[in-house]
Amino acid sequence: MKKRSLAILAGGMSLALLLSSCGPSSAPTESPYSAPADETGQQTAEEPVTITYCNFNASGGNEETLQKMYEAFHEEHPNITVEIETIAMDDYFTQMQTRVAGGTAPDCYELNIENFASYANKGVLAEISGVDLSRLDETALSAFNVDGKQYGLPGNFSNVVLVYNKDLFDQAGIDYPTADWTQDDVQTAAEAIRALGDDIYGYYQPLTYNEFYKVCAQFGGSLLNEDKTEFTINSPENVAAAQMMADRVLVSNVQPTDVQMGGMGDWDLFMSGRLGMIPTGIWAFQSFADGCDFNWDITIEPGQEQKATHFFSNGLVINADSEHKDAAATWITWLASSPAAAEIRIEAGWDLPAVSDEDTLASYLDMTPPDNRQAVFDSLDYLVVPPVIEDYALMSDIIGQKLSAAANGSITVQEALDQAQSECEAQISLS
């Protein structure tokens, strides 16, 4: 697996979660522990113990997969009982914030990468030590490291790739996308596919905040300057990126308008066989495998001046106030890195285990479709994350609203980004 340092992720992720009442506000807890280990190096509980574990990532379809993992874990560690609670993503962080503030947080739980640093910096997470981390991917592990100390383990990872309909490419008589493609190549292919029929489209990438910041990076732009002291929302690079995205809907119409979508979702459009290309997450693979009756494959997302693609990971953390840190460490280490857990996760098509063992990952690469699963790992060389600031939610809302207006043609792209720049400068302090 190709690797790229992700140390900037832990340092840069500082979303304000209003955890002012959740313990000390200066630094992570300084109370490392070392769990007792058996002859294999795995931590074990000498006496029967029950711990609690909360997560959100299993909601919506993988509750049984997580239960299967626990059953395999319990066979290896019969003295540790894990009470698992799965909460929908929409409610999870509100509940977790309340529980942490009220001293009722579970022994261990899941955090997404955007929120991890805020919890770690508030001192509500226990430092993880005395566990075997050798099977975990170093780059993913570094995302949950603060000042050289480990406060979380990467439970999984996923990213975004370009998925394409091979049959439509064949019908259009054009070559399949490659890792070297730029956005210009995408546009040329999208126009050829659009010409196949009135209800066939070449590309789908909505002009939203989450897609925009990534395409800005592809064009060499960013929403903030390097030291995050000034907004650069309406830079020439960003205007060029947004203009390209808007023009695909409003000018060339290689991407459908909302009216043309007719209420259909982007995945549904692709699975209907009427969409040539879509940049989307690797979690779509199983749905596409089940729902597509045509040939499809993947490659790295296109770039322009450079490559840039999304990265997602969820950390497994331990409550600093837990009375069962050893057992919690045993459970989350097994969940993150054991071959048994990795095998179950891969078989279920549920994200990817953040492990370094190529033999463990080989079964993932052998699964089809898509044939080019290597692109999932090759994409790790081009990861970008959103520019996280204290008022991140406000910034993303302002930019998102202006982009929406540009996408429907009610204002120009330049006007949208100029207005977003002015409103962010007026409402958000970067000092």
Side-chain angles (χ1 to χ4, degrees):
M1 181 189 301
K2 294 186 178 182
K3 296 182 178 180
R4 179 179 177 88
S5 175
L6 302 181
I8 58 170
L9 297 177
M13 293 301 174
S14 57
L15 287 177
L17 291 183
L18 304 177
L19 293 173
S20 58
S21 61
C22 304
S25 59
S26 56
T29 178
E30 298 294 335
S31 303
Y33 61 89
S34 180
D38 60 21
E39 65 275 6
T40 69
Q42 290 296 304
Q43 278 60 52
T44 184
E46 296 181 353
E47 299 294 334
V49 62
T50 297
I51 61 173
T52 52
Y53 170 69
C54 279
N55 80 101
F56 59 85
N57 198 36
S59 64
N62 280 294
E63 293 91 341
E64 292 184 4
T65 303
L66 181 57
Q67 180 62 27
K68 186 176 181 180
M69 289 179 176
Y70 167 64
E71 290 169 0
F73 167 82
H74 196 56
E75 287 185 6
E76 296 182 27
H77 301 277
N79 286 346
I80 302 178
T81 298
V82 183
E83 295 181 350
I84 297 174
E85 183 179 6
T86 299
I87 303 171
M89 179 71 168
D90 290 345
D91 299 323
Y92 184 82
F93 289 101
T94 299
Q95 288 199 33
M96 199 55 60
Q97 179 180 335
T98 300
R99 294 186 189 187
V100 170
T104 59
D107 294 296
C108 49
Y109 52 100
E110 186 178 40
L111 289 174
N112 60 7
I113 199 168
E114 291 86 353
N115 290 322
F116 164 75
S118 291
Y119 279 73
N121 291 333
K122 288 297 182 181
V124 300
L125 305 181
E127 181 188 350
I128 299 172
S129 65
V131 293
D132 180 10
L133 306 180
S134 63
R135 287 190 292 270
L136 286 166
D137 179 80
E138 292 180 2
T139 57
L141 194 62
S142 69
F144 302 100
N145 189 289
V146 179
D147 297 329
K149 297 180 179 180
Q150 204 68 43
Y151 289 96
L153 305 182
N156 66 318
F157 87 84
S158 58
N159 55 7
V160 170
V161 293
L162 180 67
V163 185
Y164 61 95
N165 182 325
K166 297 175 73 173
D167 288 3
L168 288 181
F169 273 79
D170 291 342
Q171 293 175 36
I174 54 179
D175 294 334
Y176 300 145
T178 69
D180 297 326
W181 269 29
T182 66
Q183 292 286 0
D184 292 336
D185 296 316
V186 166
Q187 183 65 27
T188 299
E191 290 175 2
I193 292 171
R194 181 71 176 97
L196 293 175
D198 291 341
D199 63 346
I200 296 177
Y201 299 93
Y203 199 69
Y204 192 90
Q205 183 176 40
L207 186 51
T208 60
Y209 173 83
N210 284 328
E211 293 297 328
F212 175 60
Y213 86 78
K214 175 182 62 177
V215 179
C216 287
Q218 293 172 359
F219 276 70
S222 62
L223 302 181
L224 300 171
N225 64 356
E226 188 172 352
D227 59 4
K228 297 184 179 181
T229 58
E230 296 179 1
F231 288 103
T232 57
I233 299 168
N234 60 348
S235 70
E237 296 84 358
N238 294 352
V239 171
Q243 193 68 61
M244 177 204 68
M245 298 175 74
D247 285 351
R248 284 181 172 160
V249 179
L250 302 175
V251 179
S252 64
N253 196 216
V254 297
Q255 178 170 317
T257 64
D258 288 342
V259 173
Q260 289 168 329
M261 286 291 285
M264 180 178 286
D266 53 354
W267 283 15
D268 292 328
L269 182 63
F270 184 79
M271 289 187 288
S272 74
R274 297 166 45 219
L275 179 63
M277 295 169 281
I278 179 172
T280 194
I282 63 175
W283 53 89
F285 290 173
Q286 191 60 54
S287 294
F288 289 174
D290 294 339
C292 297
D293 60 0
F294 53 84
N295 296 312
W296 59 277
D297 207 349
I298 67 169
T299 190
I300 298 172
E301 278 196 84
Q304 192 65 15
E305 298 300 320
Q306 62 185 14
K307 293 282 190 179
T309 191
H310 291 106
F311 172 79
F312 307 90
S313 183
N314 297 321
L316 308 178
V317 302
I318 299 173
N319 181 359
D321 293 331
S322 171
E323 296 180 358
H324 306 294
K325 294 185 180 69
D326 292 351
T330 302
W331 161 241
I332 66 169
T333 303
W334 187 95
L335 191 61
S337 65
S338 75
E343 181 179 351
I344 293 169
R345 183 179 290 274
I346 290 172
E347 287 180 352
W350 180 26
D351 298 326
L352 277 173
V355 296
S356 58
D357 180 29
E358 293 183 0
D359 291 338
T360 300
L361 296 171
S363 62
Y364 178 81
L365 292 173
D366 290 341
M367 296 169 65
T368 59
D371 293 330
N372 184 27
R373 286 186 179 242
Q374 182 60 43
V376 172
F377 301 117
D378 293 343
S379 296
L380 297 181
D381 283 341
Y382 309 108
L383 307 178
V384 295
V385 295
V388 179
I389 60 175
E390 185 173 352
D391 287 323
Y392 175 82
L394 178 57
M395 176 185 68
S396 61
D397 284 347
I398 291 172
I399 296 174
Q401 290 169 7
K402 301 305 178 183
L403 292 175
S404 178
N408 63 34
S410 59
I411 59 175
T412 68
V413 164
Q414 186 70 62
E415 289 170 339
L417 298 190
D418 285 346
Q419 291 175 20
Q421 175 82 16
S422 297
E423 291 187 21
C424 283
E425 289 177 339
Q427 299 182 46
I428 300 173
S429 173
L430 296 177
S431 59

